Every structure is written in structure tokens, then in C-alpha cells.
Amino acid sequence: MNKIAVIGAGHVGLTTAVGLSHLGSYVVCADIDKEKIGSLTEGRISIYEPGLEAMLKQNIDEGRLAFSADVQEAIQRADVIFIAVGTFGENGGDTDLTALFDVAQEIAEKSNTDKMVVIKSTVPPGTSEKVKEIVDSFTDNKYRINIVTNPEFLREGNAVHDFLYPERIVIGLEDSCLTETMHTIYQPLIARNVPLIITNYRTAELIKYSANSFLAMKVTFINEIARLCDVLGADVEIVADALGKDSRIGAQYLQPGPGYGGSCLPKDTESLAHISRERKMPLPILEAVIESNQVQKQYAIQKVKDFFPDLKRISLGVLGVSFKPNTDDVRESPSIAVIHQLLREGATLTLFDPQAIHHAREIWGDRVRYGKDEYETVTAKDGMIILTGWAAFQNLDFDKIYRRIKGKVIFDFRNLYNRGEMEKRGFSYVAIGK
Ligand SMILES: NC(=O)c1ccc[n+]([C@@H]2O[C@H](COP(=O)([O-])OP(=O)(O)OC[C@H]3O[C@@H](n4cnc5c(N)ncnc54)[C@H](O)[C@@H]3O)[C@@H](O)[C@H]2O)c1
């Protein structure tokens, strides 16, 4: 049985560590964030990810999973080291790979046996080769350090399911001897016929970027169609439903909203566009997707301004800060752009989110108020804005809301409700494309 270290205990590293231990490997997950490691050791996770904490406790109890703030020790005790540290977007689309390269150097300098390094972080094509160069230049050549890339496709909010039931496993390598170890690690999934795609480094790296860029394009496409529906008087929900029934298109990622966000789609589209420009092989579709996504955020904001031309004396209850439901992640959330702009325009805001309010407090402090629940958030306000499609926001008690809210307007930027029903209840209803 391989001894595995996972370096980085964030959304991907933690899910990978918990998932691999659940599949039967012995895993130590290490991170430089001592506080995070402290709570993980006690079985507590600092992110909201359904099902992850229970699985983590189970695998700690069964002795297959441990956490450490000593990255060097974790490296030395492992045969296989997954790197899952953050890779960050920079202005202009370049990717900051400092954390990844630091870990690669540490592995090269501190290894005491042969190691296999598996890059889990999302990285621009060509990065695995750079990691190999770093490892080769910092090692004293006593031990062999092999590099494999194995991009992760999990969705936050569904991470446990996506790890245990992936639609494919992609592995990039330059030495076919390494296939066997990856086979052993993923054996329980391969036994279930999860497709395994083994290719070279650059192809594997590009698969991840292409997947995220394609998803961003799909969201953006339906957002553009929604804008067109608004001027044509067509209904984007019905358009999307009909499109989604076409198996060549598929129904997922066809829900209009205030733009895509999160820690992956914006960063990875920008990064791929940047690479294509650098390599003088531009991707005009992707450039348009990135621009159109900015337009979509402004489009949502404009809908509020059209209704309230002067926001200075307007108070709004805002439901949803996380970039999507079932996560507390607010990185690049479209809610942030919308809330910032409304504040700049002088609106008074009260925010509510089922899981992400601690992050909202970090961003806005006392510049906004925070509601205890959906109903307190909208009490005595001039209107209500839905920005995230949490299940809790899909079953609101509108009798209660009608009694509490002062201005009877609902900006439903996740298209959760039916215009006819809302208008029958006496609300003005503003959605996207319907
Ligand atoms: N979040 C997602 O849904 C998702 C999905 C697929 C791929 N990815 C990719 O996976 C990578 C990680 O993303 P994430 O969302 O898990 O990031 P994250 O910010 O949640 O976690 C990164 C972790 O790495 C740790 N770290 C940084 N430098 C370190 C070092 N030198 N040694 C040890 N630990 C270190 C940080 O303390 C942090 O806990 C990124 O490349 C991202 O693009 C993310």
C-alpha cells in the first residue's frame, strides 16, 4: 500500500486526502496553515462542504488519515506526494505558481527516498515540465523524483460525490512505468469503470483548462440569450429547458444568473486566454466569454438601477453571497461585484447567506448590516435581491415576506420564481431573461 502525502488542505487537498483515505490509502495531509491543521486534527473542517466532515472523522477514526503542519516530515514519510496548493490569477491572466514551485523545491531538497509527485493543482500547460526542472535542479540526485499531473474536476458543494464518482480520471505523465502506481491509488474507481485518460503532461493540463473554459462559455452563452430574451419578450427558462433536452447540448450549466464566479472559472479562463495570446494563437471565443461575463454582472446591477434610479435612499435585503449554493466560498462571487457597486451607488444593504456570512463580514465589516435569516433581512426594506440559488431561497414564504418588506419588489437574479405568481401576490418581479 502506498503512503501518500497531500500538500495543501484547501478545498481540493482536503477532499483529495479524505477521498484517497476513504479508497483505502494511508494519507497524511499537510498544510502551512497551523490553525487549519489544528482543527482538522480534531475532526473539524473550516469550509462548508456537505458530507466531507463526516467522512474525514470516519477515516481518522479508522487510522487511515492524519494531518500535519510539518510539510517536510509529510514529504519524507510518503512514497507519493499530491500537491494541491493554490494557484492564483494575476492581473493580465498570468498564473502565480509560487506555492507550487516552493513545494516542488522542498520535495527535491528534503526527499530521503524515491518519490512520485502528483500535481493536483490546476496549472497552465507546460507547468509539469517546469516542476520537473525545479526538482532536477534542487535534488542531489540520490533519489528519483517522478512527476505526474492529475487535474481535479470536483465541484465545490459536491466535492465528496465528485471525488468518489468522477466522470473521468485524467493523468499526464512522460514515463509509462508510473501508470501502475496511479492505477493502484485509483483502483476502486477504475474497478467501477471510471474512464481513465492517460496522456502527456501538456494534454492533461490543457484538458482541465478546456473543461473550465467550456463550462464558462456555456454559462455565458445562456446569459447572453437571457439578455436577448429580455428585449425580445421571450422566456430564457423555456429556451434553456428545450436546449438542455438536446443530448448534443446537455442541460447543465444553462441556468442564467448574474455571471459565473468562484475560484476556478474566472481564473482558468483568464489564464488560458493569456497563454493563447502569449503563444500568438488567440482564442476569440474565450476572450468574448470573459468580457461578456463582466457585462452580465453590470447587466444585473443595471436592472436594480433601472428600478431605483437613485439608490441613495434605498435599502435592500440581499440573499446570497457565496458564488453558488452548498459552499461558503465567495472567491470571485458575482454577489461581491453586485454588492460593491450597489454600495458605491449609495444603497443601504442588509445581507444574508446560509453559510458565507463570515466571509461577508471580512469583506464589508460594518459597511453593511447582516440579517439573522431571510425574513429579518428583508424586513422594512425597499426591495429584495436574490443573488445565490440556495435551496433555502427556493422555498421562501412570500406571505411573510409581503407582510415584512416595505417596497414590494423582488430582483430574482437566479430565476428561482415564476413571474405570474409573484405579480399575483402583488410584487414587482425582475428576473433575468423571462
Ligand atoms: N476549489 C475548487 O473547486 C477546485 C476544483 C478543481 C481544481 N482546483 C484547483 O486546485 C488548486 C487548489 O485549490 P483550492 O480551492 O483547494 O485552494 P485553497 O486556497 O482552498 O487551498 C490551498 C491550500 O494550500 C495551502 N498552502 C499554500 N502554500 C502551501 C505550502 N507551501 N505548503 C503547504 N500548504 C500550502 C494553503 O494554506 C491552503 O490551505 C488550485 O490550483 C485550484 O485551481 C480547485
Side-chain angles (χ1 to χ4, degrees), residues 6-16 30-34 36-37 40 46-47 49 68-69 71 75 83-88 95-104 106 119-123 151-157 159 208-209 212 262-265 267-268 323-324 327 329 331:
V6 177
I7 311 300
H11 292 77
V12 168
L14 189 55
T15 308
T16 303
D31 200 292
I32 45 173
D33 184 336
K34 291 194 170 64
K36 193 182 268 186
I37 291 298
L40 287 169
S46 55
I47 52 171
E49 186 58 58
S68 172
V71 175
I75 290 170
I83 309 182
V85 296
T87 49
F88 306 100
T95 308
D96 179 351
L97 298 167
T98 313
L100 175 76
F101 292 158
D102 284 352
V103 174
E106 192 164 3
I119 302 171
K120 257 279 162 215
S121 304
T122 302
V123 293
E152 180 53 57
F153 298 93
L154 65 80
R155 294 161 297 171
E156 287 181 19
K208 174 64 192 172
Y209 269 150
N212 275 357
S263 68
C264 294
L265 264 48
K267 163 173 80 73
D268 297 346
F323 80 97
K324 66 174 181 180
T327 179
D329 200 342
R331 291 178 283 182

Side-chain angles (χ1 to χ4, degrees), residues 182-198:
M182 294 305 281
H183 259 268
T184 313
I185 293 170
Y186 285 118
Q187 181 49 36
L189 305 183
I190 294 167
R192 275 198 265 116
N193 292 326
V194 173
L196 189 60
I197 296 157
I198 298 185

Side-chain angles (χ1 to χ4, degrees), residues 104-121:
Q105 183 177 335
E106 192 164 3
I107 293 171
E109 288 174 343
K110 306 290 163 51
S111 282
N112 51 347
T113 54
D114 291 352
K115 309 282 179 198
M116 182 161 127
V117 174
V118 184
I119 302 171
K120 257 279 162 215
S121 304

Side-chain angles (χ1 to χ4, degrees), residues 74-375:
I75 290 170
Q76 289 182 334
R77 290 187 169 204
D79 316 311
V80 181
I81 303 158
F82 281 72
I83 309 182
V85 296
T87 49
F88 306 100
E90 291 182 328
N91 277 345
D94 216 348
T95 308
D96 179 351
L97 298 167
T98 313
L100 175 76
F101 292 158
D102 284 352
V103 174
Q105 183 177 335
E106 192 164 3
I107 293 171
E109 288 174 343
K110 306 290 163 51
S111 282
N112 51 347
T113 54
D114 291 352
K115 309 282 179 198
M116 182 161 127
V117 174
V118 184
I119 302 171
K120 257 279 162 215
S121 304
T122 302
V123 293
T127 304
S128 299
E129 283 140 337
K130 279 194 201 142
V131 168
K132 199 166 185 304
E133 277 166 31
I134 290 173
V135 164
D136 288 347
S137 64
F138 285 96
T139 182
D140 57 12
N141 288 320
K142 267 206 248 158
Y143 306 104
R144 213 177 139 73
I145 299 172
N146 293 302
I147 312 293
V148 170
T149 191
N150 171 215
E152 180 53 57
F153 298 93
L154 65 80
R155 294 161 297 171
E156 287 181 19
N158 286 284
V160 171
H161 173 272
D162 290 352
F163 188 88
L164 295 178
Y165 301 93
E167 291 180 325
R168 74 294 211 195
I169 299 168
V170 174
I171 296 171
L173 40 78
E174 309 274 277
D175 177 352
S176 57
C177 301
L178 305 174
T179 316
E180 199 184 317
T181 308
M182 294 305 281
H183 259 268
T184 313
I185 293 170
Y186 285 118
Q187 181 49 36
L189 305 183
I190 294 167
R192 275 198 265 116
N193 292 326
V194 173
L196 189 60
I197 296 157
I198 298 185
T199 179
N200 60 28
Y201 290 150
R202 288 183 182 210
T203 308
E205 291 162 336
L206 187 57
I207 289 170
K208 174 64 192 172
Y209 269 150
S210 306
N212 275 357
S213 297
F214 195 88
L215 294 173
M217 181 179 74
K218 231 179 147 185
V219 175
T220 303
F221 181 80
I222 203 65
N223 282 339
E224 289 197 351
I225 294 296
R227 303 205 290 260
L228 188 62
C229 283
D230 274 337
V231 293
L232 291 179
D235 187 334
V236 72
E237 294 300 313
I238 299 170
V239 174
D241 184 44
L243 283 179
K245 289 195 166 39
D246 186 328
S247 60
R248 294 169 302 176
I249 297 174
Q252 292 191 52
Y253 283 71
L254 282 182
Q255 287 77 36
Y260 61 77
S263 68
C264 294
L265 264 48
K267 163 173 80 73
D268 297 346
T269 46
E270 295 269 4
S271 180
L272 187 57
H274 175 74
I275 294 160
S276 75
R277 271 180 250 124
E278 257 189 356
R279 293 306 184 97
K280 310 258 182 295
M281 187 53 71
L283 298 175
I285 292 180
L286 194 56
E287 302 283 1
V289 164
I290 293 165
E291 194 190 329
S292 183
N293 195 51
Q294 297 306 327
V295 171
Q296 187 68 8
K297 293 180 211 170
Q298 292 308 317
Y299 187 70
I301 293 162
Q302 190 57 46
K303 279 181 179 265
V304 182
K305 287 168 66 178
D306 286 347
F307 199 91
F308 294 117
D310 182 6
L311 278 160
K312 287 199 184 62
R313 279 166 290 124
I314 299 301
S315 62
L316 297 165
V318 179
L319 303 187
V321 181
S322 62
F323 80 97
K324 66 174 181 180
N326 290 330
T327 179
D328 61 343
D329 200 342
V330 302
R331 291 178 283 182
E332 296 290 323
S333 172
S335 302
I336 295 182
V338 173
I339 292 167
H340 270 321
Q341 184 65 27
L342 294 176
L343 286 174
R344 268 197 294 272
E345 303 274 340
T348 304
L349 302 182
T350 303
L351 314 183
F352 175 72
D353 188 285
Q355 294 294 337
I357 281 302
H358 57 296
H359 289 312
R361 285 186 200 278
E362 287 161 11
I363 301 171
W364 294 290
D366 56 10
R367 283 190 291 146
V368 298
R369 296 201 182 103
Y370 303 94
K372 181 166 97 248
D373 60 23
E374 296 86 339
Y375 303 101

